[in-house]
Amino acid sequence: MRGILSDAALIIVDVQNDFCPGGALPVTGGDKVVPILNIYIKRFREENAPIFATRDWHPNDHNSFKENGGIWPPHCVRGTSGAQFHPGLDISGDVRIISKGASPKDEAYSGFQGTDLAAELKKKGIKALYIGGLATDYCVKHTVLDAIKEGFSVFFLEDGSRGVDVNPGDSKKAIDDMTLAGAKKVLSYEW
Ligand code: VGL
Ligand code: ZN
């Protein structure tokens, strides 16, 4: 049975070891999103609503890495443990994995960029997306903004997301940008 989530999907963004404490590009408190996102996974699973998990999946010569002229330390190199999902995330066979940034010159902060995510969602008749994960000010923001451009209603999972904050305030500004574009903020305990 599908209830209020009958036309909704959950999109979990880049909850990978390299973005968690101890990883190559750690987000402060990145691992704290795991139990929150697991609550959403359980709920979507119960309602047979589709669940997607994006992952940064870079080749080791990716152009976002400092040694190749980019701004980031090497991270989420495909096939490494840093690129694996956080071990506590409740990912199982029913979660569709979307890999992005997989070619050397393809930055792809957004889960929609260079993937068939939009087509898959539309084929399933999905209208609303619940989006959260890492990092608020990069991949979550770009995924949310693209989702809105694609015509979806978007709910941003506020306590299920954390930012990098390369510059202080970046995450706050990202949240403002997302809400201004039409995303609605939701908290796990209000939901
Ligand atoms: C991300 C920086 C570089 C992200 C990915 O997932 O937000 N940030 N690559
Ligand atoms: Zn990356």
Side-chain angles (χ1 to χ4, degrees):
M1 274 296 282
R2 307 261 307 256
I4 59 158
L5 298 176
S6 62
D7 59 3
L10 177 64
I11 314 272
I12 293 167
V13 177
D14 298 7
V15 181
Q16 292 166 271
N17 289 324
D18 271 345
F19 295 127
C20 292
L25 177 38
V27 174
T28 305
D31 54 337
K32 299 281 197 294
V33 305
V34 171
I36 304 289
L37 294 174
N38 283 344
I39 294 171
Y40 286 96
I41 291 174
K42 182 165 182 284
R43 179 75 188 280
F44 276 70
R45 201 170 263 154
E46 280 166 5
E47 299 212 23
N48 282 320
I51 304 168
F52 292 75
T54 69
R55 65 181 179 187
D56 227 21
W57 198 242
H58 298 318
N60 55 18
D61 59 348
H62 194 253
N63 69 354
S64 76
F65 299 169
K66 280 178 184 151
E67 65 218 44
N68 305 315
I71 61 168
W72 304 112
H75 63 278
C76 298
V77 174
R78 61 186 177 218
T80 64
S81 58
Q84 299 304 307
F85 292 114
H86 185 286
L89 192 67
D90 188 10
I91 297 272
S92 57
D94 58 347
V95 176
R96 171 90 173 90
I97 295 170
I98 302 286
S99 302
K100 63 185 176 60
S103 70
K105 293 195 168 56
D106 163 23
E107 175 46 297
Y109 287 137
S110 162
F112 290 94
Q113 196 181 327
T115 72
D116 57 4
L117 180 57
E120 285 198 36
L121 293 166
K122 286 176 184 173
K123 198 171 63 194
K124 290 179 190 294
I126 299 299
K127 304 267 187 294
L129 299 179
Y130 290 72
I131 303 176
L134 305 173
T136 305
D137 37 356
Y138 287 91
C139 290
V140 174
K141 178 179 98 171
H142 287 272
T143 302
V144 163
L145 295 180
D146 275 357
I148 293 168
K149 280 186 208 138
E150 290 284 351
F152 297 102
S153 300
V154 177
F155 297 89
F156 164 64
L157 309 181
E158 195 171 13
D159 53 342
S161 302
R162 292 286 188 288
V164 192
D165 286 317
V166 172
N167 306 299
D170 280 356
S171 295
K172 194 193 167 301
K173 186 175 177 305
I175 295 172
D176 289 345
D177 291 346
M178 291 188 274
T179 51
L180 213 63
K184 293 186 184 65
K185 296 190 273 189
V186 290
L187 290 164
S188 58
Y189 52 84
E190 288 175 353
W191 186 65

